[in-house]
C-alpha cells in the first residue's frame, strides 16, 4: 500500500474518531446508532498481551537494560538512551507527545544525569511515529535512512523535521560512550524502515513489523512491501538480542514473541495457498453474471474465510485480536501471494 493510500486510510480513521463529538453536537442522533449493546463482541485480550499500567499522565517508562529505557502509552512506543553527553531518543510518537520529555525527566532526575535530548533517531518516516519530533526544537541532531529524508521532504510536515544525518545501508551512532547500530536491509513496512540494534543492551528495535502479543494491525499493518515484511523477521532473528521494541502496544517483546509471530504468518500463508487452489470460483461467476466485481468480491471473501478461519481458531487466546484483524491480514497476504508470487494463476488454454 502506498504512503498516500495509508495517509488516506488514517485520515478516514481520524474522521471516524470525530463522530462521537459530531453526534453530541447534533443532539445525540448519530450516537443512537451505536451503543455498547449494538457493537460486536470480540474475544478477551489474553493477559500475556498486556503491559504495565500507565500513570496518571498517560504513560509508562521502564528500563530495558542498563541505561536504555522505553516509553509507552499502551498503544505506541518509543525508546531513549541516557549518556554522559545527553539523551538519544528513538522515535517520537505524537500520541505520547510531551510525555516523552516527562518520562526522560523522570529517569534523568532519578539517575542524576542530563535530560537534554541531543539526538533523535527516526525508525521510518510515518507521522504516527515521528509527529512529536518538532517538540524537541532545532538544536537536535536527527538521524534517518536516506529514503526517510526524501519522503519527509515530499510530505512537508513541520512536525517531522528532516534528518540532519542520513545513511544508505548502515550507520553506527556513537554518543557519550554509547554505540547503536542502524541498518537498512531493504523495504518492509515502508521503503525506509530500519533495524536499530542496541549492541550493548541486548535489544533490537524494529517498528511496525511484529507487535508483541498481538496480531498485526488492519490489513497486515498496512505494509507497503508484503514479501519484504514477511522476510523481515528472519533478518531480525539473525541479530543477537533478548529484548524487542516493536513500536506498538503496551509491552516489550522477546525472541519467543518473534517466533510466535512468524508461525502466525506462516500459517496464514499455508492456508492462503490452499484457498487459492480449493475454493471454486464457478458458483460466484454463475450467480453474478456480468457483474464481475460482485463475483470477485464474494469469491475472494470465500477464499479469505477459508484461509483465515483455522488461523483465528488457533490463535484466539494466544495473540490478542486474532478474531479482529486476521481476516484483513489474510486478504492482503492472499493478494501478495497471487500477484507477487503467481500462486493460483491460471493460463487460459
Amino acid at each position: 500500500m502506498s504512503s498516500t493510500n495509508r495517509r488516506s486510510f488514517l485520515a478516514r480513521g481520524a474522521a471516524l474518531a470525530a463522530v462521537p463529538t459530531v453526534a453530541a453536537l447534533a443532539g445525540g442522533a448519530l450516537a443512537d446508532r451505536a451503543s455498547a449493546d449494538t457493537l460486536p463482541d470480540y474475544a478477551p485480550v489474553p493477559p500475556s498481551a498486556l503491559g504495565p499500567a500507565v500513570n496518571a499522565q498517560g504513560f509508562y517508562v521502564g528500563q530495558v537494560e542498563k541505561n536504555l529505557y522505553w516509553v509507552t502509552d499502551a498503544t505506541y512506543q518509543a525508546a531513549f538512551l541516557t549518556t554522559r553527553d545527553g539523551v538519544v531518543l528513538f522515535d517520537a510518537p505524537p500520541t505520547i507527545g510531551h510525555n516523552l520529555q516527562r518520562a526522560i525527566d523522570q529517569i534523568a532526575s532519578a539517575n542524576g544525569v542530563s535530560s537534554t535530548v541531543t539526538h533523535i533517531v527516526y525508525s521510518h518516516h510515518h507521522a504516527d511515529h515521528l509527529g512529536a519530533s518538532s517538540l524537541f526544537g532545532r538544536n537536535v541532531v536527527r538521524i534517518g535512512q536516506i529514503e526517510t529524508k526524501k519522503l519527509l521532504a515530499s510530505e512537508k510536515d513541520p512536525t517531522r523535521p528532516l534528518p540532519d544525518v542520513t545513511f544508505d545501508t548502515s550507520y553506527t551512532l556513537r554518543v557519550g560512550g554509547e554505540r547503536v547500530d542502524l541498518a537498512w536491509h531493504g523495504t518492509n513496512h515502508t521503503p525506509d524502515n530500519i533495524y536499530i540494534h542496541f549492541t550493548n543492551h541486548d535489544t533490537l528495535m524494529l517498528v511496525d513489523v511484529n507487535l508483541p502479543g498481538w496480531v498485526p494491525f488492519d490489513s497486515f499493518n498496512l505494509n507497503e512491501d508484503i514479501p519484504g515484511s514477511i522476510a523481515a523477521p528472519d533478518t531480525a532473528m539473525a541479530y543477537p538480542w533478548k529484548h524487542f521494541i516493536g513500536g506498538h502496544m503496551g509491552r516489550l517483546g522477546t525472541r519467543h514473541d518473534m517466533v510466535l509471530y512468524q508461525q502466525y504468518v506462516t500459517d496464514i500463508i499455508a492456508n492462503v495457498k490452499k484457498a487459492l487452489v480449493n475454493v471454486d470460483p464457478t458458483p460466484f461467476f454463475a450467480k453474478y453474471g456480468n457483474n464481475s466485481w460482485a463475483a470477485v468480491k464474494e469469491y475472494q471473501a470465500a477464499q479469505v474465510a477459508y484461509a483465515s478461519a483455522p488461523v483465528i481458531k488457533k490463535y484466539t487466546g494466544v495473540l490478542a485480536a486474532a478474531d479482529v484483524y486476521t481476516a484483513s491480514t489474510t486478504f492482503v497476504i492472499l493478494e501478495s501471494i497471487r500477484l507477487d508470487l503467481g500462486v493460483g494463476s491460471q493460463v487460459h488454454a
Side-chain angles (χ1 to χ4, degrees):
M1 180 178 288
S2 70
S3 298
T4 301
N5 287 342
R6 187 178 192 276
R7 286 196 296 270
S8 298
F9 178 90
L10 294 174
R12 290 196 299 273
L16 289 172
V19 167
T21 302
V22 174
L25 293 173
L30 293 176
D32 291 341
R33 298 180 187 177
S35 70
D37 294 329
T38 60
L39 292 173
D41 293 321
Y42 292 104
V45 173
S48 61
L50 300 174
V54 300
N55 62 19
Q57 291 174 298
F59 72 91
Y60 169 85
V61 59
Q63 185 180 39
V64 181
E65 190 164 309
K66 300 177 185 177
N67 54 328
L68 175 64
Y69 299 86
W70 69 296
V71 190
T72 183
D73 59 3
T75 302
Y76 280 84
Q77 300 175 355
F80 64 91
L81 193 63
T82 59
T83 82
R84 62 177 181 239
D85 294 334
V87 174
V88 183
L89 177 63
F90 299 84
D91 278 357
T95 64
I96 305 178
H98 289 280
N99 279 337
L100 290 167
Q101 188 65 61
R102 294 185 183 106
I104 292 168
D105 290 343
Q106 177 181 317
I107 295 299
S109 176
N111 295 346
V113 297
S114 171
S115 65
T116 301
V117 175
T118 60
H119 296 72
I120 302 177
V121 174
Y122 288 177
S123 66
H124 64 302
H125 71 285
H126 280 159
D128 61 331
H129 290 278
L130 301 185
S133 176
S134 62
L135 297 180
F136 296 90
R138 297 182 179 180
N139 297 322
V140 174
V141 177
R142 293 172 170 87
I143 304 162
Q145 205 266 345
I146 191 167
E147 192 68 19
T148 300
K149 185 171 186 175
K150 293 177 183 177
L151 289 164
L152 290 178
S154 70
E155 292 170 355
K156 298 180 174 63
D157 180 0
T159 71
R160 293 175 284 163
L162 301 186
D164 305 287
V165 176
T166 61
F167 64 95
D168 185 6
T169 57
S170 64
Y171 181 82
T172 299
L173 174 63
R174 299 180 187 274
V175 178
E178 301 294 340
R179 168 181 171 168
V180 183
D181 290 333
L182 313 178
W184 179 81
H185 295 294
T187 61
N188 49 73
H189 174 62
T190 61
D192 60 324
N193 202 31
I194 64 171
Y195 298 71
I196 303 169
H197 188 215
F198 301 91
T199 54
N200 297 320
H201 300 81
D202 216 3
T203 300
L204 182 72
M205 183 172 181
L206 175 62
V207 172
D208 281 341
V209 173
N210 174 22
L211 319 181
W214 294 73
V215 303
F217 175 65
D218 197 3
S219 303
F220 198 30
N221 282 335
L222 301 177
N223 289 320
E224 296 181 29
D225 182 339
I226 304 307
S229 296
I230 291 171
D234 282 337
T235 303
M237 291 295 276
Y239 282 88
W241 54 270
K242 177 181 178 182
H243 314 288
F244 181 76
I245 302 171
H248 279 283
M249 313 317 285
R251 71 167 175 85
L252 296 175
T254 65
R255 294 186 78 89
H256 171 73
D257 286 314
M258 188 65 79
V259 170
L260 181 60
Y261 168 77
Q262 288 177 294
Q263 291 173 344
Y264 170 81
V265 174
T266 298
D267 285 345
I268 291 176
I269 292 170
N271 285 340
V272 159
K273 289 179 178 178
K274 293 177 184 177
L276 287 168
V277 173
N278 293 333
V279 178
D280 182 7
T282 305
F284 305 96
F285 287 91
K287 176 174 176 62
Y288 295 107
N290 61 3
N291 191 341
S292 296
W293 278 164
V296 169
K297 177 179 183 295
E298 295 303 324
Y299 173 44
Q300 290 194 312
Q303 290 176 311
V304 168
Y306 181 102
S308 64
V311 179
I312 293 170
K313 181 178 180 180
K314 179 177 179 179
Y315 289 94
T316 294
V318 178
L319 290 174
D323 57 331
V324 180
Y325 281 142
T326 296
S328 68
T329 284
T330 298
F331 173 75
V332 170
I333 291 177
L334 182 148
E335 284 296 273
S336 175
I337 289 174
R338 185 176 71 86
L339 300 175
D340 296 325
L341 302 183
V343 176
S345 296
Q346 299 178 8
V347 178
H348 183 67

